[in-house]
């Protein structure tokens, strides 16, 4: 989502006649987009800003901080890094063109920090780097209140784009030669078209998948509470919708899920997994796990390990709990020592690695359509993804000269590892 935010901001700047430079040193305006979901994000940002300081003194460069750290730290950034002139949170990108005018007029403490927005940032000027796969935002912000999460404070309340503007953007992208679309939102499942059409997420997904020229549609991210059976039915009915779902569970323990304010039980989560496993095309399922949430016990971790065994996820993103400013979990006490979080993280990684080795072995001997992303010079192989979002490294008789970028190639899978497959162009 942050990458795509940058694409939108770059598009807006280019529309106003700005040119993109390869390095910060060459630029007159340097914008630093930030994420504060985990770790000591604030500290990293201030360290980086310190590096920029010389440029400001020497050549009068203008610096701006964008994104979640900008939202979180606000005007404090001007005090700690006085060479910064612009601080804009991601909920205020709708105002970005006006803020830019103020900077151009020489103002040196310009902020966009209001969370009181009711529109999504709908720009026709997005500047995308990848010519085949495109992100399309359908909903911004989050109305959930997971007790560990900073997002509701940094990205503000949910705002859905109109279905017409989503479909128009996808059509424009298809005309430009894009064939793969990823619909984006903190919680795409709660998408609701604000126009009288009133499409829900499943309808939006299906309609995007019907746009001429689009061959693959993905979406991220989903919240189990709002995940409906209609989404799986839409995937069943629409061949362009990829058979991969990322459904963050966070923990396999009901006790921890309650503390996290996730609004579902393990059983309800597993019910949704059951819908996916009953889908017509075999579906890959991935998830996010947090270990070391305040008060988490060995028994809770065992519940999480048990859930991994039960679901047999294709991949997980496994994070150590990190305290975030303003979040309710901060006050929950009983914080787990870093070392113990590390042990739990390893336990989960090890269990999942075994599951992935077994899972991926099932792909050997079959042929899959791969959307090619790049050529790996080090291995001499092309690299791309199947509809299930499996990474495939494959050789081609003509090697790099085959020029397969952006193409869909049938690949026979010969070998499988825990994180990727290896094959040959069929
Ligand atoms: N600590 C650790 N992981 C977090 N995530 C969100 N907030 C935190 C936090 N405070 C993880 C969740 C979420 C993913 C995007 O980041 O697993 O699904
Ligand atoms: Fe954060 Fe929860 Fe919203 Fe996801 S659903 S962005 S974890 S508050």
């Amino acid at each position: 989502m942050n990458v795509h935010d940058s694409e939108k901001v770059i598009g807006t700047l280019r529309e106003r006649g700005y040119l993109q430079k390869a390095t910060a040193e060459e630029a007159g305006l340097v914008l630093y987009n930030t994420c504060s979901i985990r770790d000591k994000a604030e500290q990293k940002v201030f360290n980086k800003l310190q590096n920029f300081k010389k440029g400001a003194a020497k050549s009068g460069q203008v610096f701006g901080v964008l994104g979640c750290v900008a939202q979180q730290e606000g005007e404090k950034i001007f005090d700690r890094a006085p060479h910064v002139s612009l601080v804009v949170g991601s909920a205020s990108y709708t105002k970005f063109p006006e803020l830019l005018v103020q900077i151009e007029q020489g103002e040196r403490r310009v902020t966009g920090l209001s969370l009181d927005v009711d529109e999504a940032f709908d720009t026709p000027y997005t500047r995308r780097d990848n010519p085949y796969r495109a992100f399309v935002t359908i909903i911004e912000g989050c109305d959930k209140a997971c007790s560990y999460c900073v997002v509701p404070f940094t990205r503000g309340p949910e705002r859905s784009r109109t279905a017409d503007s989503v479909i128009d953007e996808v059509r424009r992208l298809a005309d430009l030669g894009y064939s793969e679309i990823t619909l984006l939102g903190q919680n795409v499942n709660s998408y609701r078209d604000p126009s009288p059409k009133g499409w829900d997420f499943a309808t939006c997904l299906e309609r995007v998948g019907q746009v001429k020229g689009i061959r693959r549609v993905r979406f991220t991210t989903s919240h189990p509470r709002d995940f409906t059976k209609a989404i799986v039915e839409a995937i069943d009915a629409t061949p362009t919708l990829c058979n991969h779902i990322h459904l963050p569970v966070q923990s396999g323990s009901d006790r921890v899920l309650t503390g996290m304010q996730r609004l579902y039980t393990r059983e309800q989560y597993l019910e949704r997994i059951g819908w996916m496993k009953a889908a017509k095309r075999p579906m890959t399922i991935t998830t996010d796990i947090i270990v070391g949430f305040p008060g988490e016990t060995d028994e809770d971790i065992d519940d999480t390990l048990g859930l991994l065994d039960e679901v047999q996820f294709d991949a997980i993103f496994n994070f150590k709990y990190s305290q975030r400013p303003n979040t309710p979990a901060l006050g929950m006490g009983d914080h787990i020592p870093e070392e113990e979080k590390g042990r739990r993280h390893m336990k989960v990684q090890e269990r999942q690695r075994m599951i992935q080795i077994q899972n991926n072995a099932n792909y050997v001997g079959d042929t899959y359509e791969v959307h090619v992303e790049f050529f790996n010079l080090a291995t001499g192989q092309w690299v791309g993804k199947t509809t299930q979002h499996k990474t495939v490294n494959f050789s081609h008789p003509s090697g790099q000269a085959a020029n397969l970028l952006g193409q869909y190639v049938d690949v026979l899978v010969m070998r499988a590892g825990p994180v990727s497959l290896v094959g040959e162009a069929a």
Side-chain angles (χ1 to χ4, degrees):
M1 183 152 270
N2 249 30
V3 168
H4 187 41
D5 281 348
S6 294
E7 292 180 336
K8 292 181 199 174
V9 169
I10 293 168
T12 308
L13 286 163
R14 288 169 67 103
E15 182 57 24
R16 282 189 65 81
Y18 285 75
L19 294 175
Q20 210 173 340
K21 292 290 177 183
T23 64
E25 288 72 36
E26 298 167 69
L29 172 69
V30 179
L31 298 179
Y32 185 34
N33 193 6
T34 62
C35 170
S36 65
I37 191 94
R38 285 177 300 271
D39 303 325
K40 305 207 170 4
E42 311 75 45
Q43 199 47 52
K44 283 188 207 157
V45 170
F46 283 113
N47 290 347
K48 185 89 175 182
L49 289 177
Q50 194 61 28
N51 300 342
F52 288 152
K53 210 169 164 182
K54 247 196 273 147
K58 257 206 323 229
S59 59
Q61 278 182 315
V62 176
F63 295 98
V65 183
L66 312 182
C68 289
V69 175
Q71 188 66 48
Q72 195 179 292
E73 301 295 303
E75 305 207 358
K76 275 190 275 173
I77 293 179
F78 295 132
D79 300 332
R80 277 184 72 179
H83 55 297
V84 170
S85 304
L86 179 70
V87 175
V88 189
S90 47
S92 300
Y93 291 156
T94 35
K95 307 233 172 59
F96 196 72
E98 299 159 38
L99 302 174
L100 214 47
V101 172
Q102 293 177 38
I103 283 291
E104 286 161 4
Q105 288 168 347
E107 285 184 44
R108 285 297 167 261
R109 275 196 165 204
V110 177
T111 54
L113 293 169
S114 170
L115 286 178
D116 191 17
V117 278
D118 52 11
E119 298 164 78
F121 184 43
D122 198 359
T123 167
Y125 310 128
T126 304
R127 154 79 191 173
R128 292 176 168 89
D129 282 333
N130 185 307
Y132 319 107
R133 284 183 300 132
F135 294 121
V136 172
T137 304
I138 60 168
I139 179 169
E140 288 176 25
C142 182
D143 283 351
K144 294 283 182 289
C146 302
S147 62
Y148 53 80
C149 185
V150 77
V151 168
F153 306 98
T154 57
R155 286 188 174 268
E158 283 175 0
R159 296 90 69 194
S160 290
R161 272 174 77 183
T162 62
D164 284 347
S165 87
V166 171
I167 296 293
D168 281 353
E169 183 168 10
V170 174
R171 284 205 186 113
R172 263 200 324 266
L173 289 166
D175 289 345
L176 288 169
Y178 286 89
S179 62
E180 182 169 329
I181 300 289
T182 301
L183 301 179
L184 281 184
Q186 298 301 332
N187 178 7
V188 288
N189 305 151
S190 58
Y191 174 80
R192 179 61 72 170
D193 174 12
S195 79
K197 269 197 205 129
W199 290 358
D200 63 4
F201 175 62
T203 310
C204 178
L205 186 62
E206 209 162 28
R207 298 299 174 88
V208 167
Q210 288 162 359
V211 171
K212 207 164 150 266
I214 297 301
R215 287 180 66 160
R216 285 187 180 181
V217 183
R218 305 184 186 281
F219 54 94
T220 197
T221 199
S222 289
H223 190 290
R225 165 83 168 215
D226 305 317
F227 188 90
T228 59
K229 207 172 185 178
I231 297 169
V232 178
E233 286 162 0
I235 295 174
D236 275 346
T238 319
T240 51
L241 302 185
C242 290
N243 33 332
H244 162 227
I245 291 176
H246 182 68
L247 193 65
V249 65
Q250 315 299 0
S251 169
S253 151
D254 277 337
R255 219 177 54 79
V256 175
L257 288 174
T258 305
M260 289 178 164
Q261 289 164 209
R262 285 291 287 177
L263 310 175
Y264 54 84
T265 60
R266 176 191 172 108
E267 193 185 326
Q268 285 166 331
Y269 183 84
L270 287 171
E271 185 190 18
R272 280 140 188 80
I273 297 294
W275 300 338
M276 295 175 205
K277 297 221 166 176
K280 290 191 184 139
R281 286 174 286 159
M283 192 88 86
T284 45
I285 307 171
T286 57
T287 200
D288 293 346
I289 303 273
I290 298 177
V291 299
F293 184 76
E296 185 190 59
T297 61
D298 285 343
E299 208 175 301
D300 294 323
I301 276 290
D302 284 345
D303 284 346
T304 297
L305 295 173
L307 186 87
L308 299 185
D309 289 340
E310 193 163 343
V311 178
Q312 299 275 303
F313 291 106
D314 291 89
I316 64 167
F317 296 94
N318 181 10
F319 308 109
K320 288 183 255 181
Y321 167 72
S322 139
Q323 297 184 15
R324 300 288 73 211
N326 305 319
T327 55
L330 267 186
M332 286 184 181
D334 208 2
H335 287 279
I336 312 288
E338 279 308 310
E339 214 177 291
E340 179 55 26
K341 280 187 210 165
R343 267 197 293 275
R344 293 180 189 184
H345 186 264
M346 279 239 295
K347 243 185 177 174
V348 168
Q349 289 297 101
E350 275 166 22
R351 181 72 63 96
Q352 179 58 24
R353 188 182 147 84
M354 300 315 293
I355 293 171
Q356 283 176 210
I357 289 172
Q358 279 174 7
N359 248 342
N360 287 345
N362 293 329
Y363 286 74
V364 175
D366 287 329
T367 299
Y368 293 88
E369 186 190 71
V370 174
H371 191 194
V372 182
E373 289 173 10
F374 65 95
F375 185 77
N376 184 340
L377 276 173
T379 61
Q381 288 171 317
W382 290 94
V383 185
K385 291 242 174 2
T386 68
T387 163
Q388 293 102 326
H389 210 245
K390 295 276 177 190
T391 300
V392 184
N393 306 281
F394 68 96
S395 47
H396 187 280
S398 313
Q400 192 172 11
N403 200 12
L404 301 176
L405 279 188
Q407 292 189 33
Y408 291 83
V409 176
D410 282 337
V411 175
L412 173 64
V413 175
M414 320 284 283
R415 279 184 291 125
V419 289
S420 62
L421 309 172
V422 180
E424 285 173 5

